[in-house]
């Protein structure tokens, strides 16, 4: 934990007040939660004007960005797989040509093997992207939920004192 007071956090986030916190700045706050003391986090969260809305809007935004990222990545994946399929077709046609020597055929088969390996690597890369994206969304959700629980806990304690 390297953030131990509100002013340091405000300075790091580039804001003057918690009252007009945007979704983007709230996401920055959530990402900084692990770097701040619980006392600072609770003190700041108490000052958010409509905490529930901030959490819900941020989670919706993260989900939307993740969905867009997945769609774009999948679109790219489809193009890559089509390109590899076309390349394999071309190599297969080359294998059917008359007059190829054994060495020519082995060279084409080596190119086919390389293409298959490269396509498999691209597929693994896509799966890793999806895994990281899901992890990032989960992390944001977890920190947002933790902040929400902290606020509810604080409000419950405050409510209990006033009763």
């Amino acid at each position: 934990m390297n953030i131990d007071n509100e002013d340091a956090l405000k300075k790091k986030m580039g804001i003057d007040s918690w009252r007009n916190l945007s979704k983007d700045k709230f996401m920055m706050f959530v990402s900084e939660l692990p770097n701040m003391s619980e006392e600072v986090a609770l003190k700041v969260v108490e000052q958010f004007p409509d905490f529930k809305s901030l959490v819900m809007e941020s989670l919706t935004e993260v989900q939307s960005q993740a969905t867009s990222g997945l769609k774009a990545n999948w679109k790219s994946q489809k193009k890559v797989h089509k390109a590899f399929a076309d390349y394999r077709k071309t190599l297969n046609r080359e294998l059917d040509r008359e007059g190829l020597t054994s060495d020519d055929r082995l060279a084409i088969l080596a190119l086919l093997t390389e293409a298959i390996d490269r396509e498999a690597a691209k597929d693994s890369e896509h799966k890793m992207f999806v895994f990281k994206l899901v992890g990032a969304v989960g992390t944001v959700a977890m920190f947002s939920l933790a902040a929400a629980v902290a606020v509810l806990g604080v409000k419950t304690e405050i409510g209990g004192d006033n009763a």
Side-chain angles (χ1 to χ4, degrees), residues 23-57:
K23 284 186 285 187
D24 291 338
K25 293 293 182 176
F26 179 72
M27 294 306 295
M28 183 184 288
F29 168 78
V30 169
S31 70
E32 290 295 333
L33 275 173
N35 301 324
M36 62 183 89
S37 70
E38 183 178 338
E39 180 182 308
V40 170
L42 292 176
K43 196 172 181 184
V44 169
V45 168
E46 285 176 346
Q47 298 178 53
F48 290 158
D50 190 4
F51 183 75
K52 180 182 175 186
S53 292
L54 274 174
V55 170
M56 296 310 292
E57 287 174 16

mmCIF file of all heavy atoms in Angstrom, residues 23-57:
data_model
loop_
_atom_site.group_PDB
_atom_site.id
_atom_site.type_symbol
_atom_site.label_atom_id
_atom_site.label_comp_id
_atom_site.label_asym_id
_atom_site.label_seq_id
_atom_site.Cartn_x
_atom_site.Cartn_y
_atom_site.Cartn_z
ATOM 1 N N LYS A 23 -17.188 8.148 -14.684
ATOM 2 C CA LYS A 23 -17.030 6.692 -14.723
ATOM 3 C C LYS A 23 -15.567 6.306 -14.923
ATOM 4 O O LYS A 23 -15.072 5.382 -14.293
ATOM 5 C CB LYS A 23 -17.872 6.077 -15.854
ATOM 6 C CG LYS A 23 -19.335 5.995 -15.550
ATOM 7 C CD LYS A 23 -20.078 5.247 -16.641
ATOM 8 C CE LYS A 23 -20.214 6.122 -17.864
ATOM 9 N NZ LYS A 23 -21.056 5.574 -18.916
ATOM 10 N N ASP A 24 -14.890 7.034 -15.816
ATOM 11 C CA ASP A 24 -13.480 6.729 -16.078
ATOM 12 C C ASP A 24 -12.636 6.910 -14.826
ATOM 13 O O ASP A 24 -11.784 6.072 -14.517
ATOM 14 C CB ASP A 24 -12.928 7.615 -17.193
ATOM 15 C CG ASP A 24 -13.525 7.290 -18.551
ATOM 16 O OD1 ASP A 24 -14.019 6.152 -18.729
ATOM 17 O OD2 ASP A 24 -13.498 8.162 -19.428
ATOM 18 N N LYS A 25 -12.874 8.004 -14.115
ATOM 19 C CA LYS A 25 -12.108 8.252 -12.890
ATOM 20 C C LYS A 25 -12.484 7.233 -11.809
ATOM 21 O O LYS A 25 -11.651 6.831 -11.011
ATOM 22 C CB LYS A 25 -12.327 9.680 -12.374
ATOM 23 C CG LYS A 25 -11.761 10.741 -13.295
ATOM 24 C CD LYS A 25 -10.242 10.680 -13.350
ATOM 25 C CE LYS A 25 -9.705 11.789 -14.239
ATOM 26 N NZ LYS A 25 -8.264 11.845 -14.273
ATOM 27 N N PHE A 26 -13.756 6.810 -11.793
ATOM 28 C CA PHE A 26 -14.153 5.783 -10.832
ATOM 29 C C PHE A 26 -13.417 4.475 -11.119
ATOM 30 O O PHE A 26 -12.951 3.801 -10.204
ATOM 31 C CB PHE A 26 -15.668 5.555 -10.852
ATOM 32 C CG PHE A 26 -16.108 4.483 -9.889
ATOM 33 C CD1 PHE A 26 -16.089 4.709 -8.526
ATOM 34 C CD2 PHE A 26 -16.506 3.231 -10.352
ATOM 35 C CE1 PHE A 26 -16.473 3.714 -7.636
ATOM 36 C CE2 PHE A 26 -16.888 2.241 -9.473
ATOM 37 C CZ PHE A 26 -16.872 2.480 -8.107
ATOM 38 N N MET A 27 -13.279 4.151 -12.404
ATOM 39 C CA MET A 27 -12.550 2.935 -12.774
ATOM 40 C C MET A 27 -11.090 3.049 -12.346
ATOM 41 O O MET A 27 -10.483 2.081 -11.901
ATOM 42 C CB MET A 27 -12.654 2.677 -14.281
ATOM 43 C CG MET A 27 -14.071 2.351 -14.745
ATOM 44 S SD MET A 27 -14.824 0.985 -13.850
ATOM 45 C CE MET A 27 -13.759 -0.320 -14.366
ATOM 46 N N MET A 28 -10.539 4.250 -12.462
ATOM 47 C CA MET A 28 -9.167 4.469 -12.015
ATOM 48 C C MET A 28 -9.092 4.262 -10.497
ATOM 49 O O MET A 28 -8.164 3.636 -9.992
ATOM 50 C CB MET A 28 -8.702 5.885 -12.382
ATOM 51 C CG MET A 28 -7.261 6.168 -12.022
ATOM 52 S SD MET A 28 -6.768 7.877 -12.345
ATOM 53 C CE MET A 28 -6.707 7.857 -14.141
ATOM 54 N N PHE A 29 -10.097 4.778 -9.785
ATOM 55 C CA PHE A 29 -10.152 4.588 -8.336
ATOM 56 C C PHE A 29 -10.192 3.100 -7.990
ATOM 57 O O PHE A 29 -9.455 2.631 -7.131
ATOM 58 C CB PHE A 29 -11.375 5.307 -7.743
ATOM 59 C CG PHE A 29 -11.660 4.919 -6.324
ATOM 60 C CD1 PHE A 29 -10.907 5.456 -5.285
ATOM 61 C CD2 PHE A 29 -12.651 3.996 -6.020
ATOM 62 C CE1 PHE A 29 -11.157 5.081 -3.967
ATOM 63 C CE2 PHE A 29 -12.907 3.625 -4.721
ATOM 64 C CZ PHE A 29 -12.154 4.163 -3.684
ATOM 65 N N VAL A 30 -11.060 2.372 -8.676
ATOM 66 C CA VAL A 30 -11.183 0.930 -8.418
ATOM 67 C C VAL A 30 -9.856 0.231 -8.657
ATOM 68 O O VAL A 30 -9.442 -0.631 -7.873
ATOM 69 C CB VAL A 30 -12.307 0.310 -9.293
ATOM 70 C CG1 VAL A 30 -12.279 -1.211 -9.246
ATOM 71 C CG2 VAL A 30 -13.667 0.822 -8.843
ATOM 72 N N SER A 31 -9.150 0.602 -9.721
ATOM 73 C CA SER A 31 -7.869 -0.044 -10.010
ATOM 74 C C SER A 31 -6.808 0.315 -8.969
ATOM 75 O O SER A 31 -5.850 -0.429 -8.778
ATOM 76 C CB SER A 31 -7.387 0.298 -11.414
ATOM 77 O OG SER A 31 -7.007 1.643 -11.492
ATOM 78 N N GLU A 32 -6.979 1.437 -8.288
ATOM 79 C CA GLU A 32 -6.027 1.852 -7.251
ATOM 80 C C GLU A 32 -6.351 1.267 -5.876
ATOM 81 O O GLU A 32 -5.541 1.382 -4.953
ATOM 82 C CB GLU A 32 -5.980 3.382 -7.146
ATOM 83 C CG GLU A 32 -5.331 4.063 -8.317
ATOM 84 C CD GLU A 32 -3.854 3.736 -8.452
ATOM 85 O OE1 GLU A 32 -3.192 3.419 -7.450
ATOM 86 O OE2 GLU A 32 -3.353 3.802 -9.586
ATOM 87 N N LEU A 33 -7.510 0.637 -5.718
ATOM 88 C CA LEU A 33 -7.898 0.087 -4.409
ATOM 89 C C LEU A 33 -6.807 -0.770 -3.754
ATOM 90 O O LEU A 33 -6.555 -0.617 -2.564
ATOM 91 C CB LEU A 33 -9.200 -0.716 -4.513
ATOM 92 C CG LEU A 33 -10.484 0.090 -4.422
ATOM 93 C CD1 LEU A 33 -11.688 -0.790 -4.710
ATOM 94 C CD2 LEU A 33 -10.635 0.765 -3.081
ATOM 95 N N PRO A 34 -6.142 -1.650 -4.495
ATOM 96 C CA PRO A 34 -5.124 -2.471 -3.837
ATOM 97 C C PRO A 34 -3.932 -1.655 -3.314
ATOM 98 O O PRO A 34 -3.200 -2.127 -2.457
ATOM 99 C CB PRO A 34 -4.648 -3.419 -4.942
ATOM 100 C CG PRO A 34 -5.664 -3.346 -6.013
ATOM 101 C CD PRO A 34 -6.337 -2.029 -5.891
ATOM 102 N N ASN A 35 -3.766 -0.438 -3.830
ATOM 103 C CA ASN A 35 -2.620 0.390 -3.448
ATOM 104 C C ASN A 35 -2.910 1.344 -2.292
ATOM 105 O O ASN A 35 -2.049 2.131 -1.922
ATOM 106 C CB ASN A 35 -2.142 1.216 -4.649
ATOM 107 C CG ASN A 35 -1.737 0.336 -5.802
ATOM 108 O OD1 ASN A 35 -1.184 -0.723 -5.609
ATOM 109 N ND2 ASN A 35 -2.044 0.771 -7.004
ATOM 110 N N MET A 36 -4.129 1.316 -1.779
ATOM 111 C CA MET A 36 -4.459 2.268 -0.716
ATOM 112 C C MET A 36 -4.872 1.547 0.561
ATOM 113 O O MET A 36 -5.289 0.394 0.527
ATOM 114 C CB MET A 36 -5.540 3.242 -1.176
ATOM 115 C CG MET A 36 -6.869 2.632 -1.545
ATOM 116 S SD MET A 36 -8.053 3.848 -2.157
ATOM 117 C CE MET A 36 -7.694 3.826 -3.898
ATOM 118 N N SER A 37 -4.728 2.249 1.649
ATOM 119 C CA SER A 37 -5.118 1.670 2.932
ATOM 120 C C SER A 37 -6.641 1.562 2.981
ATOM 121 O O SER A 37 -7.352 2.303 2.301
ATOM 122 C CB SER A 37 -4.610 2.538 4.085
ATOM 123 O OG SER A 37 -5.320 3.762 4.121
ATOM 124 N N GLU A 38 -7.109 0.656 3.794
ATOM 125 C CA GLU A 38 -8.557 0.469 3.930
ATOM 126 C C GLU A 38 -9.201 1.745 4.449
ATOM 127 O O GLU A 38 -10.280 2.137 3.998
ATOM 128 C CB GLU A 38 -8.840 -0.696 4.887
ATOM 129 C CG GLU A 38 -10.309 -1.016 5.027
ATOM 130 C CD GLU A 38 -10.566 -2.207 5.936
ATOM 131 O OE1 GLU A 38 -9.649 -3.036 6.130
ATOM 132 O OE2 GLU A 38 -11.691 -2.289 6.457
ATOM 133 N N GLU A 39 -8.535 2.429 5.344
ATOM 134 C CA GLU A 39 -9.050 3.668 5.922
ATOM 135 C C GLU A 39 -9.271 4.722 4.842
ATOM 136 O O GLU A 39 -10.318 5.359 4.780
ATOM 137 C CB GLU A 39 -8.073 4.192 6.973
ATOM 138 C CG GLU A 39 -8.519 5.480 7.640
ATOM 139 C CD GLU A 39 -7.475 5.975 8.628
ATOM 140 O OE1 GLU A 39 -7.041 5.198 9.497
ATOM 141 O OE2 GLU A 39 -7.095 7.148 8.503
ATOM 142 N N VAL A 40 -8.289 4.899 3.975
ATOM 143 C CA VAL A 40 -8.406 5.878 2.890
ATOM 144 C C VAL A 40 -9.525 5.462 1.944
ATOM 145 O O VAL A 40 -10.357 6.286 1.551
ATOM 146 C CB VAL A 40 -7.072 6.038 2.127
ATOM 147 C CG1 VAL A 40 -7.258 6.859 0.857
ATOM 148 C CG2 VAL A 40 -6.024 6.680 3.019
ATOM 149 N N ALA A 41 -9.567 4.191 1.569
ATOM 150 C CA ALA A 41 -10.601 3.708 0.650
ATOM 151 C C ALA A 41 -11.994 3.971 1.207
ATOM 152 O O ALA A 41 -12.865 4.490 0.502
ATOM 153 C CB ALA A 41 -10.402 2.222 0.366
ATOM 154 N N LEU A 42 -12.205 3.636 2.467
ATOM 155 C CA LEU A 42 -13.524 3.839 3.074
ATOM 156 C C LEU A 42 -13.870 5.325 3.173
ATOM 157 O O LEU A 42 -15.001 5.722 2.895
ATOM 158 C CB LEU A 42 -13.573 3.192 4.460
ATOM 159 C CG LEU A 42 -13.515 1.670 4.475
ATOM 160 C CD1 LEU A 42 -13.461 1.153 5.900
ATOM 161 C CD2 LEU A 42 -14.696 1.072 3.731
ATOM 162 N N LYS A 43 -12.911 6.142 3.543
ATOM 163 C CA LYS A 43 -13.124 7.576 3.668
ATOM 164 C C LYS A 43 -13.533 8.176 2.313
ATOM 165 O O LYS A 43 -14.435 9.011 2.245
ATOM 166 C CB LYS A 43 -11.842 8.226 4.181
ATOM 167 C CG LYS A 43 -12.001 9.610 4.723
ATOM 168 C CD LYS A 43 -10.691 10.040 5.370
ATOM 169 C CE LYS A 43 -10.789 11.419 5.960
ATOM 170 N NZ LYS A 43 -9.521 11.881 6.499
ATOM 171 N N VAL A 44 -12.874 7.744 1.259
ATOM 172 C CA VAL A 44 -13.167 8.259 -0.076
ATOM 173 C C VAL A 44 -14.533 7.762 -0.547
ATOM 174 O O VAL A 44 -15.351 8.540 -1.042
ATOM 175 C CB VAL A 44 -12.063 7.847 -1.076
ATOM 176 C CG1 VAL A 44 -12.481 8.136 -2.506
ATOM 177 C CG2 VAL A 44 -10.754 8.555 -0.744
ATOM 178 N N VAL A 45 -14.792 6.486 -0.384
ATOM 179 C CA VAL A 45 -16.043 5.895 -0.873
ATOM 180 C C VAL A 45 -17.243 6.546 -0.197
ATOM 181 O O VAL A 45 -18.285 6.745 -0.825
ATOM 182 C CB VAL A 45 -16.032 4.362 -0.669
ATOM 183 C CG1 VAL A 45 -17.398 3.773 -0.897
ATOM 184 C CG2 VAL A 45 -15.023 3.725 -1.614
ATOM 185 N N GLU A 46 -17.109 6.914 1.066
ATOM 186 C CA GLU A 46 -18.202 7.586 1.776
ATOM 187 C C GLU A 46 -18.598 8.894 1.091
ATOM 188 O O GLU A 46 -19.722 9.345 1.221
ATOM 189 C CB GLU A 46 -17.786 7.903 3.216
ATOM 190 C CG GLU A 46 -17.764 6.729 4.128
ATOM 191 C CD GLU A 46 -17.254 7.089 5.526
ATOM 192 O OE1 GLU A 46 -16.674 8.190 5.701
ATOM 193 O OE2 GLU A 46 -17.431 6.281 6.427
ATOM 194 N N GLN A 47 -17.668 9.494 0.364
ATOM 195 C CA GLN A 47 -17.906 10.802 -0.249
ATOM 196 C C GLN A 47 -18.519 10.719 -1.646
ATOM 197 O O GLN A 47 -18.907 11.743 -2.206
ATOM 198 C CB GLN A 47 -16.585 11.581 -0.330
ATOM 199 C CG GLN A 47 -15.987 11.861 1.031
ATOM 200 C CD GLN A 47 -14.677 12.588 0.892
ATOM 201 O OE1 GLN A 47 -14.594 13.620 0.230
ATOM 202 N NE2 GLN A 47 -13.638 12.039 1.511
ATOM 203 N N PHE A 48 -18.590 9.526 -2.224
ATOM 204 C CA PHE A 48 -19.155 9.405 -3.560
ATOM 205 C C PHE A 48 -20.635 9.745 -3.513
ATOM 206 O O PHE A 48 -21.384 9.193 -2.708
ATOM 207 C CB PHE A 48 -18.960 7.995 -4.115
ATOM 208 C CG PHE A 48 -17.532 7.651 -4.460
ATOM 209 C CD1 PHE A 48 -17.141 6.329 -4.531
ATOM 210 C CD2 PHE A 48 -16.591 8.618 -4.712
ATOM 211 C CE1 PHE A 48 -15.834 5.988 -4.852
ATOM 212 C CE2 PHE A 48 -15.285 8.292 -5.027
ATOM 213 C CZ PHE A 48 -14.911 6.971 -5.097
ATOM 214 N N PRO A 49 -21.088 10.629 -4.411
ATOM 215 C CA PRO A 49 -22.472 11.080 -4.379
ATOM 216 C C PRO A 49 -23.490 9.955 -4.590
ATOM 217 O O PRO A 49 -24.419 9.827 -3.830
ATOM 218 C CB PRO A 49 -22.561 12.106 -5.506
ATOM 219 C CG PRO A 49 -21.247 12.139 -6.175
ATOM 220 C CD PRO A 49 -20.307 11.244 -5.449
ATOM 221 N N ASP A 50 -23.344 9.176 -5.616
ATOM 222 C CA ASP A 50 -24.294 8.088 -5.886
ATOM 223 C C ASP A 50 -23.481 6.836 -6.186
ATOM 224 O O ASP A 50 -23.326 6.428 -7.337
ATOM 225 C CB ASP A 50 -25.199 8.462 -7.063
ATOM 226 C CG ASP A 50 -26.341 7.476 -7.226
ATOM 227 O OD1 ASP A 50 -26.479 6.559 -6.389
ATOM 228 O OD2 ASP A 50 -27.091 7.611 -8.206
ATOM 229 N N PHE A 51 -22.971 6.244 -5.124
ATOM 230 C CA PHE A 51 -22.034 5.143 -5.259
ATOM 231 C C PHE A 51 -22.611 3.970 -6.042
ATOM 232 O O PHE A 51 -21.957 3.416 -6.925
ATOM 233 C CB PHE A 51 -21.576 4.672 -3.874
ATOM 234 C CG PHE A 51 -20.567 3.583 -3.939
ATOM 235 C CD1 PHE A 51 -19.256 3.862 -4.286
ATOM 236 C CD2 PHE A 51 -20.909 2.273 -3.667
ATOM 237 C CE1 PHE A 51 -18.310 2.865 -4.368
ATOM 238 C CE2 PHE A 51 -19.974 1.267 -3.748
ATOM 239 C CZ PHE A 51 -18.674 1.567 -4.091
ATOM 240 N N LYS A 52 -23.841 3.602 -5.742
ATOM 241 C CA LYS A 52 -24.455 2.449 -6.416
ATOM 242 C C LYS A 52 -24.498 2.664 -7.926
ATOM 243 O O LYS A 52 -24.153 1.768 -8.703
ATOM 244 C CB LYS A 52 -25.866 2.213 -5.873
ATOM 245 C CG LYS A 52 -26.575 1.035 -6.505
ATOM 246 C CD LYS A 52 -27.973 0.858 -5.974
ATOM 247 C CE LYS A 52 -28.675 -0.254 -6.717
ATOM 248 N NZ LYS A 52 -30.085 -0.359 -6.316
ATOM 249 N N SER A 53 -24.899 3.855 -8.353
ATOM 250 C CA SER A 53 -24.950 4.153 -9.791
ATOM 251 C C SER A 53 -23.567 4.089 -10.417
ATOM 252 O O SER A 53 -23.402 3.570 -11.526
ATOM 253 C CB SER A 53 -25.549 5.530 -10.040
ATOM 254 O OG SER A 53 -26.904 5.531 -9.695
ATOM 255 N N LEU A 54 -22.562 4.637 -9.719
ATOM 256 C CA LEU A 54 -21.190 4.582 -10.239
ATOM 257 C C LEU A 54 -20.748 3.146 -10.452
ATOM 258 O O LEU A 54 -20.170 2.798 -11.479
ATOM 259 C CB LEU A 54 -20.227 5.271 -9.266
ATOM 260 C CG LEU A 54 -20.047 6.765 -9.398
ATOM 261 C CD1 LEU A 54 -19.175 7.289 -8.264
ATOM 262 C CD2 LEU A 54 -19.445 7.138 -10.733
ATOM 263 N N VAL A 55 -21.010 2.294 -9.465
ATOM 264 C CA VAL A 55 -20.617 0.885 -9.569
ATOM 265 C C VAL A 55 -21.336 0.222 -10.733
ATOM 266 O O VAL A 55 -20.706 -0.424 -11.574
ATOM 267 C CB VAL A 55 -20.892 0.125 -8.254
ATOM 268 C CG1 VAL A 55 -20.717 -1.377 -8.436
ATOM 269 C CG2 VAL A 55 -19.976 0.628 -7.145
ATOM 270 N N MET A 56 -22.651 0.398 -10.806
ATOM 271 C CA MET A 56 -23.431 -0.262 -11.857
ATOM 272 C C MET A 56 -23.040 0.254 -13.246
ATOM 273 O O MET A 56 -22.877 -0.537 -14.175
ATOM 274 C CB MET A 56 -24.934 -0.069 -11.610
ATOM 275 C CG MET A 56 -25.426 -0.727 -10.317
ATOM 276 S SD MET A 56 -24.901 -2.456 -10.134
ATOM 277 C CE MET A 56 -25.838 -3.233 -11.420
ATOM 278 N N GLU A 57 -22.873 1.564 -13.396
ATOM 279 C CA GLU A 57 -22.485 2.129 -14.692
ATOM 280 C C GLU A 57 -21.094 1.650 -15.100
ATOM 281 O O GLU A 57 -20.856 1.335 -16.272
ATOM 282 C CB GLU A 57 -22.505 3.659 -14.636
ATOM 283 C CG GLU A 57 -23.892 4.249 -14.598
ATOM 284 C CD GLU A 57 -23.881 5.754 -14.387
ATOM 285 O OE1 GLU A 57 -22.823 6.385 -14.562
ATOM 286 O OE2 GLU A 57 -24.943 6.306 -14.058
#
